[in-house]
Amino acid sequence: MESPQLSFWEHLDVLRNSILRILAAAVIASIAAFSFKEQLFDVVLAPSNSGFIAYRLLKTDSFSIHLINTGLTEQFMIHLKMAVAAGILIASPYLLYVIFRFISPALYENERQYSVRITVSAYLMFLLGIVVNYFVIFPLTVRFLGTYQVSENVENLLTISSYVDTLLGMCLIFGVVFEIPVVCWLLACFGMLRHEWMCHYRRHAIVAILILAAIITPTTDIFTLVLVSLPIWLLYEASILIVKITCKKSIKTNA
């Protein structure tokens, strides 16, 4: 059964209701995250402690990072910022559902199916990027930059603001980086990418990955550089396989 045609004003009314639902869900989840301050910052500040699971698994040397506050309102604003970020992350499944429910009536049945696949895949890969960053990449970054000294006479006093901003920024970066397989799959579906091309330029891609890893985690430690590069390289190799399978399916369909 086809959905009834809505007028322009009715579409605006549906859009308004969707936006209100999104804002309400994000605000409620953010308030909940704000209320659990100790639990929230136990998670946020865990990578600054040498007892964090990543350091124990890698058997790194014990180190100490001292975070300070330099502004009157800084700690409250950081608490608010982290609560909003956590609230949006917690409410994200419902937010995506509301957005898809608003858009889906304008799509054909086959387009809906593709949209669901793309949305779910992109969402899961984004979450995976955040997890990898939190448990692997960010701790290594904190350990290197937080303990790096040009001289023993210069003591590191890191602000909580720089710590939180780096964490959020790197989570966003790796969330986007982990969308590589999804983007490659889309390009392959439109015939704009072939696995032969990706295999041919594999060496160039590896060099680009190493440069990207060096920028994200500026370290002179080769082991850390390789460890940061490894997930991105695996994403590239997985993308080659995905593109290859997609191209074969397209050939069979057109035959």
Side-chain angles (χ1 to χ4, degrees), residues 108-119:
Y108 293 108
E109 184 61 31
N110 61 331
E111 292 175 335
R112 286 197 193 99
Q113 293 177 0
Y114 274 108
S115 298
V116 170
R117 291 180 189 176
I118 294 168
T119 303

Side-chain angles (χ1 to χ4, degrees), residues 2 21 31 71 79 83 98 135 140 148 153 156 172 186 194:
E2 294 184 358
R21 290 193 187 98
I31 291 174
H79 184 193
V98 173
F135 284 103
L140 295 176
Y148 185 84
N153 297 323
N156 285 331
L172 181 61
L186 280 174
R194 299 184 63 84

Side-chain angles (χ1 to χ4, degrees), residues 95-105 107 111-113 115-116 119:
L95 305 186
L96 288 174
Y97 167 74
V98 173
I99 294 171
F100 182 77
R101 188 178 178 184
F102 173 74
I103 296 173
S104 60
L107 303 175
E111 292 175 335
R112 286 197 193 99
Q113 293 177 0
S115 298
V116 170
T119 303

Side-chain angles (χ1 to χ4, degrees), residues 28-244:
I28 292 171
S30 297
I31 291 174
F34 189 88
S35 302
F36 291 92
K37 180 178 70 173
E38 291 185 5
Q39 292 83 350
L40 176 63
F41 280 90
D42 281 345
V43 174
V44 171
L45 299 178
S48 67
N49 190 323
S50 59
F52 188 60
I53 185 172
Y55 306 129
R56 287 190 278 112
L57 290 176
L58 295 173
K59 297 180 180 180
T60 59
D61 297 332
S62 179
F63 66 94
S64 177
I65 292 179
H66 184 59
L67 298 176
I68 64 171
N69 173 55
T70 58
L72 180 63
T73 62
E74 190 172 7
Q75 291 204 54
F76 175 78
M77 295 306 297
I78 287 171
H79 184 193
L80 187 62
K81 182 190 294 185
M82 286 307 308
V84 171
I88 292 174
L89 186 62
I90 293 168
S92 56
Y94 178 74
L95 305 186
L96 288 174
Y97 167 74
V98 173
I99 294 171
F100 182 77
R101 188 178 178 184
F102 173 74
I103 296 173
S104 60
L107 303 175
Y108 293 108
E109 184 61 31
N110 61 331
E111 292 175 335
R112 286 197 193 99
Q113 293 177 0
Y114 274 108
S115 298
V116 170
R117 291 180 189 176
I118 294 168
T119 303
V120 173
S121 300
Y123 177 68
L124 292 178
M125 291 304 296
F126 189 86
L127 291 182
L128 182 60
I130 292 176
V131 170
V132 170
N133 174 66
Y134 177 78
F135 284 103
V136 181
I137 311 302
F138 181 69
L140 295 176
T141 303
V142 168
R143 181 180 178 277
F144 175 75
L145 295 180
T147 59
Y148 185 84
Q149 291 178 287
V150 295
S151 171
E152 292 182 356
N153 297 323
V154 182
E155 184 180 0
N156 285 331
L157 293 176
L158 308 176
T159 65
I160 181 66
S161 178
S162 66
Y163 176 91
V164 168
D165 288 343
T166 303
L167 172 60
L168 292 177
M170 289 186 66
C171 281
L172 181 61
I173 289 172
F174 271 87
V176 173
V177 167
F178 269 64
E179 299 297 335
I180 290 174
V182 179
V183 174
C184 290
W185 174 67
L186 280 174
L187 293 175
C189 286
F190 289 109
M192 299 173 64
L193 186 63
R194 299 184 63 84
H195 71 279
E196 293 91 349
W197 303 341
M198 298 181 72
C199 291
H200 179 73
Y201 291 104
R202 181 183 272 117
R203 293 180 181 178
H204 302 78
I206 291 174
V207 173
I209 289 169
L210 288 172
I211 293 173
L212 178 63
I215 293 173
I216 294 173
T217 310
T219 174
T220 55
D221 183 4
I222 299 299
F223 175 73
T224 301
L225 182 64
V226 171
L227 196 61
V228 173
S229 304
L230 183 61
I232 307 176
W233 173 71
L234 290 176
L235 286 174
Y236 186 82
E237 294 298 327
S239 299
I240 293 176
L241 181 60
I242 291 170
V243 170
K244 183 177 181 179

